[in-house]
Amino acid sequence: MTEPVLEVTGISKQFPGVRALDGVAFRLFPGEIHALMGENGAGKSTLIKVLTGVYQADEGRMTLDGAERRVHDPPHAQRLGISTVYQEVNLCPNLSVAENIFIGREPRKFGRIDWARIRRRSAELLARLDLDLDVTAPLGAQSLAVQQLIAIVRAIDLDAKVLILDEPTSSLDRGEVERLFGVMRRLRDDGVAILFVSHFLEQIYEVCDRVTVLRNGRLVGEYPIGELGRFDLVSRMTGQELHDLEQLEEAAPAITRGRRLLALEGAGRTGAITPVDLEIHEGEVVGLAGLLGSGRSELARLVFGAEAADTGRVRVGEETVALRTPRAAIDRGIAFCPEDRKADGLVMDLTVAENIVLALQAARGWTRPLPPRRRDELVGEYIRKLRIQPPSPGTPVRNLSGGNQQKVLLARWLITRPRLLILDEPTRGIDVGAKTEIQKLVVALAGDGIGVLFISAELEEVLRLSHKVEVLRDRTLVAELANDGSLTPERLLGTIANGAS
Amino acid sequence: MTTALALPAVHRRHVPVLVTFGLFVLAFATGALRYENFGTAQVFADLFIDNAFLLVVAIGMTFVILSGGIDLSVGSVVALSGMLCAVGTSRLGLPGPLVILVVLLVGTLFGAAMGYVIHVFEIQPFIATLAGMFLARGLCFTISEKQISIENGFFDTVALNRVALPGGVRVSAGAIIALVTFAAAVYVLHWTRTGRNVYAIGGGEQSALFMGLPVARTKIQVYAISGFCSALGGVLFAFYTLSGDGLHAVGMELDAIAAVVIGGTMLTGGSGYVVGTLLGVLVLGVIKTMLTFEGTLSSWWTRIAISVLLFAFIALQRLVGIRRRARSSPSASSPAPASPSPTS
């Protein structure tokens, strides 16, 4: 075997409260396309940031072409031959295509920039990748896919030995992905080492040679892609060993289906999620399962109107509605607890009481303030019901534990008496006790006739709570599985990995 | 993606400059038709003579705005520079060229210091240069609360002599200096890496950083250039008035910003041309000249005209900008995780 062009060993990186990388080793060989896989918090992006010099590792060694190196910052990484193309194209849309390829290292003649040469060289470089563009046009006039290819052209012309592609395919359509893969294969054949990060399983199997799996900041293993089936890959990523799952108590709750609350009929959004058929009834808990990036959150955002559907119909009750804004969804009794409670939901410096009444007050409008007595009653009621600790309305939310913060967020929406509640990863990052309480609460809410759309990366939790499980894969709803006792964890995992049930 | 699609986009970037050019021609032609002796080469040349300092200051401002920043200190730096010229020559009796050299150096360092503060402490340019504006204005009055007239042979010679051009047109040294500054600015912005880095940072500072461009150095350079241009503008202003006064050039930063914006440069940075700024200054100048020829209108009408123009140009930029964005990102799903909660 040839020598790896890039090798790291024993890399650790500590952030306040989190060990993002713990003794990770990773190798990249010239002339290979290597996938880096892992779920949320696995440490993928931290590892990439260490490789590109955005972060400095606390421990560990890195060798490049056999020589030990430290990468100080991204420009230094570029000089060493490690170039990165991010999902968000980091080029300047106001400059021309040619200039974006050459800026910072423009060829000069008599001290001034040689524009003719820049244009000629750019056209040549693009032609090598079968791109025929007007290189004097502004970059912003090109499609995102072409912008990404231009970013790759820039990286390659910087004599990159290592090319890191961080989720380049997230916003591309099928044809554009093919084009990108063609370029990647050609570069691989030229001896470039490519590190490819994608949430799309099929793409990994289509284009990659080897795969490294991370989980919770640790290395799970490095495998030739041909020797690792989809099922094994997914179980290694999620860490859900089957024997663990089988010990799960069969607890599919009794179904008392009420009226239909919401129906998606072929509703989808280009680039976010392919058209979906889905019904949610009163008192029903619908679980969304799938890997990170499979389209779970996109589907939830569609239901909440944070992203408007551009195909199909959405019905609330019997009425066809256009959920174009969250406001429209809220007015129809749909509530959404987002995944990132710090960024999207809670105002950390406000008190528990203020956070709880925020949505209700917003719904009333600022001209009709909530009477203080009514407010205190409501807040007290929900602090009791959800057992928020400490039970004092005046505590700033910042001082609460993660689980109690989550309850405050839940209370905010419950107080508006929603008919359909969307919970995106409500139990992530909170302790086991609080987790169980929130799970119980979901069951109780469904018992009261509220429909719940429940998103979680933990299959166990989805299976325990849901009446039916919708499985998403590569932005497509691949299966609807009734949780009627015949649904085993194995079958669910298999569906997530392979698509067919 | 084809040439046919991309070409209009290239032209669209030139639209604001072409509009300003058309506006200037229209205004000048109107003046020439309405007033006797307006449509002469000398009136045109006078536009450069009377607005030389504004042109130089606005050129510096163009660099800053192209990089996505703003410099509010320029008017005060003009006043401070004029004051230093007056003190250096009349009070200290130093030779004129030496005084000018020192003044240019002081202005450049003043700008570089603001750029350093903006970059290192990540302070908004608006605030940092507002502080610079107060500082420079305050320094003027610590030097002298009264006007100081400049009595210096070098200054007198430069200020009073006119260079004769073919056709009997005469221009001042100030106008020539302003035009040389303009030519230098065009060269730097278009033909040097520093200039292109200014555009890149204005287009996206984060991207520029990821592309390995010297963002810190360029940002400091941009404010240093603006400081230099303000100091040079101050020297030209001293030639023009032959005095230094702490009350000189009050609000000139706003005239400079107006000229840049009317010249078609985007306040968000990354898009615009220094030739637009030249045209912007000329448009402001021709309006002032027309009011002078009219004779009966208050000079404050200039402000009203400027305000109307500013609104018109900002609206134009929005239209051009919106259409460009609508074309460029139909496929991109919104990357911003727009908060689904209506309350936050």
Side-chain angles (χ1 to χ4, degrees), chain A residues 52 74 77-86 151-152 154-165 193 195:
Chain A
T52 54
Q78 266 182 26
R79 287 197 298 278
L80 291 173
I82 304 174
S83 283
T84 314
V85 174
Y86 298 92
I152 292 176
R154 176 183 169 86
I156 292 308
D157 198 52
L158 284 165
D159 295 322
K161 288 174 284 204
V162 175
L163 179 62
I164 300 173
L165 301 175
L195 176 60

Side-chain angles (χ1 to χ4, degrees), chain A residues 83-348:
Chain A
S83 283
T84 314
V85 174
Y86 298 92
Q87 176 190 358
E88 311 269 312
V89 178
N90 279 297
L91 298 176
C92 292
N94 59 326
L95 302 181
S96 73
V97 171
E99 193 168 2
N100 267 296
I101 297 176
F102 278 99
I103 192 159
R105 54 199 184 90
E106 297 96 333
R108 284 180 289 194
K109 200 161 71 180
F110 309 122
R112 61 186 181 81
I113 294 173
D114 187 351
W115 286 106
R117 180 137 168 251
I118 287 179
R119 283 193 286 273
R120 206 176 50 240
R121 285 274 296 138
S122 310
E124 282 167 18
L125 288 169
L126 290 170
R128 282 224 309 248
L129 302 183
D130 297 326
L131 281 168
D132 181 23
L133 303 173
D134 175 11
V135 296
T136 61
L139 182 87
Q142 313 296 336
S143 72
L144 199 64
V146 172
Q147 292 188 25
Q148 256 163 2
L149 292 178
I150 291 166
I152 292 176
V153 168
R154 176 183 169 86
I156 292 308
D157 198 52
L158 284 165
D159 295 322
K161 288 174 284 204
V162 175
L163 179 62
I164 300 173
L165 301 175
D166 191 0
E167 291 201 46
T169 54
S170 303
S171 333
L172 306 189
D173 68 30
R174 192 58 225 168
E176 292 169 334
V177 169
E178 280 307 322
R179 200 171 182 183
L180 176 69
F181 284 179
V183 169
M184 283 167 62
R185 291 193 183 101
R186 187 172 321 191
L187 295 172
R188 171 187 63 190
D189 297 342
D190 288 347
V192 179
I194 298 176
L195 176 60
F196 180 63
V197 179
S198 169
H199 288 311
F200 297 94
L201 274 186
E202 283 317 306
Q203 295 182 354
I204 300 294
Y205 280 93
E206 189 180 338
V207 78
C208 292
D209 304 309
R210 289 190 312 134
V211 52
T212 292
V213 180
L214 299 181
R215 192 176 67 236
N216 295 331
R218 289 167 190 271
L219 175 70
V220 177
E222 180 196 287
Y223 316 91
I225 197 79
E227 293 174 17
L228 189 69
R230 288 162 174 72
F231 188 90
D232 291 333
L233 175 58
V234 171
S235 59
R236 281 181 172 78
M237 284 167 65
T238 54
Q240 317 253 7
E241 300 295 334
L242 279 182
H243 51 86
D244 286 349
L245 281 178
E246 271 154 4
Q247 291 165 3
L248 206 156
E249 51 186 305
E250 288 299 332
I255 306 169
T256 43
R257 256 196 191 172
R259 286 181 302 136
R260 188 176 72 183
L261 279 175
L262 176 106
L264 303 182
E265 297 171 359
R269 183 180 165 86
T270 318
I273 188 148
T274 48
V276 164
D277 291 309
L278 174 66
E279 289 195 345
I280 304 175
H281 297 83
E282 282 180 351
E284 188 177 38
V285 181
V286 178
L288 288 187
L291 295 173
L292 178 73
S294 60
R296 291 179 327 216
S297 299
E298 286 79 1
L299 181 55
R301 291 171 63 82
L302 198 73
V303 172
F304 190 57
E307 306 265 14
D310 58 9
T311 57
R313 284 197 297 181
V314 179
R315 286 169 185 262
V316 175
E318 290 308 312
E319 179 196 4
T320 302
V321 294
L323 294 178
R324 292 194 191 290
T325 60
R327 180 92 260 165
I330 291 168
D331 289 345
R332 290 181 171 79
I334 302 175
F336 182 80
C337 284
E339 183 178 354
D340 188 343
R341 31 180 198 274
K342 287 203 177 80
D344 284 341
L346 293 172
V347 187
M348 287 294 160

